[in-house]
Amino acid sequence: FSRILKMEKSILKLKKVAELREIAKAYGIDGCDKMKKAEIIAAIMGNSEDTDEKILYLTFDAGYENGNTEKILDVLKKHDVSAAFFVVGTYIESNPELVKRMCKDGHIVGNHTWHHPDMSQMSTLESFQKELTDVEKIYKETTGKDMVRFYRPPQGKYSKENLKMAQDLGYKTFFWSLAYVDWYDTDQ
């Protein structure tokens, strides 16, 4: 993480709210004048098109707490950087204060399923939907807010049917360009 912070500020530092509002307006996003920074970023991420502008989206998957999340939040706050955290339901259940802080600090909190299963093996809409809606429910109970409909499949495993199911449920699916394979906790 410290290597990321050493990148040029022009790459690491996300735009200020006023600049984000201008970008949102260019995409035709209504109501951006009243949105918070994280809401504007979420709207832009969901509506972005190919562009020559280079934008870095910093995302984290929170499947379990290993003592680093609070430190990461502190560094993000210190450098005025917004990020997206994709959380599993059991993480919200066991770390409600960290999830509340993510929201309070203006970060996007997305859905990473309840149990972190191999979603490509889920063949029914009912089982797929349960993994997502259970997270939505505990997020709402914890924060009092509706969860943004951003979804990241655990381990990046998916099927074409899963992508369609997520879309039918109103979710936008997000992957990553660089993943630290931390789910193999015995191979670190």
Side-chain angles (χ1 to χ4, degrees):
F1 189 74
S2 63
R3 289 172 60 196
I4 293 172
L5 292 178
K6 291 179 183 175
M7 289 179 174
E8 292 181 35
K9 283 188 176 184
S10 62
I11 295 172
L12 177 64
K13 199 153 184 112
L14 294 176
K15 305 270 184 196
K16 297 293 182 192
V17 175
E19 294 171 308
L20 289 170
R21 285 192 175 118
E22 291 302 313
I23 294 169
K25 286 177 187 175
Y27 284 126
I29 299 167
D30 294 327
C32 59
D33 288 334
K34 297 178 183 174
M35 292 181 183
K36 293 180 181 177
K37 189 173 184 177
E39 293 169 323
I40 298 169
I41 292 168
I44 292 169
M45 286 173 65
N47 291 290
S48 62
E49 299 172 3
D50 287 337
T51 178
D52 290 334
E53 184 178 10
K54 300 205 183 301
I55 300 173
L56 173 72
Y57 294 107
L58 192 57
T59 67
F60 298 90
D61 293 353
Y64 61 92
E65 179 53 39
N66 59 6
N68 291 323
T69 305
E70 189 169 5
K71 295 172 198 167
I72 290 169
L73 289 168
D74 290 344
V75 170
L76 293 171
K77 187 171 190 166
K78 177 181 175 184
H79 293 279
D80 191 29
V81 174
S82 295
F85 289 83
F86 289 89
V87 298
V88 297
T90 54
Y91 183 91
I92 299 172
E93 191 174 56
S94 59
N95 300 283
E97 295 307 314
L98 286 174
V99 175
K100 288 177 189 176
R101 179 169 174 203
M102 290 171 191
C103 293
K104 181 178 148 281
D105 288 357
H107 302 293
I108 296 166
V109 180
N111 200 321
H112 200 41
T113 73
W114 185 272
H115 297 101
H116 204 265
D118 178 347
M119 295 298 277
S120 69
Q121 300 302 308
M122 299 229 169
S123 57
T124 68
L125 179 60
E126 181 180 61
S127 60
F128 186 90
Q129 185 173 16
K130 183 163 177 44
E131 280 293 328
L132 298 177
T133 56
D134 286 354
V135 177
E136 291 174 19
K137 288 175 189 171
I138 193 166
Y139 179 82
K140 175 94 175 188
E141 290 168 9
T142 302
T143 66
K145 300 177 181 183
D146 291 326
M147 179 172 256
V148 65
R149 294 237 167 190
F150 288 177
Y151 159 66
R152 176 170 282 165
Q155 301 178 40
K157 293 182 179 179
Y158 68 95
S159 67
K160 288 181 183 177
E161 293 79 17
N162 291 154
L163 295 176
K164 177 79 171 103
M165 287 182 213
Q167 184 179 24
D168 290 347
L169 293 170
Y171 275 89
K172 293 189 184 308
T173 303
F174 290 88
F175 294 93
W176 54 82
S177 56
L178 175 67
Y180 178 70
V181 188
D182 62 345
W183 53 87
Y184 296 124
D185 59 357
T186 58
D187 191 22
Q188 297 298 308

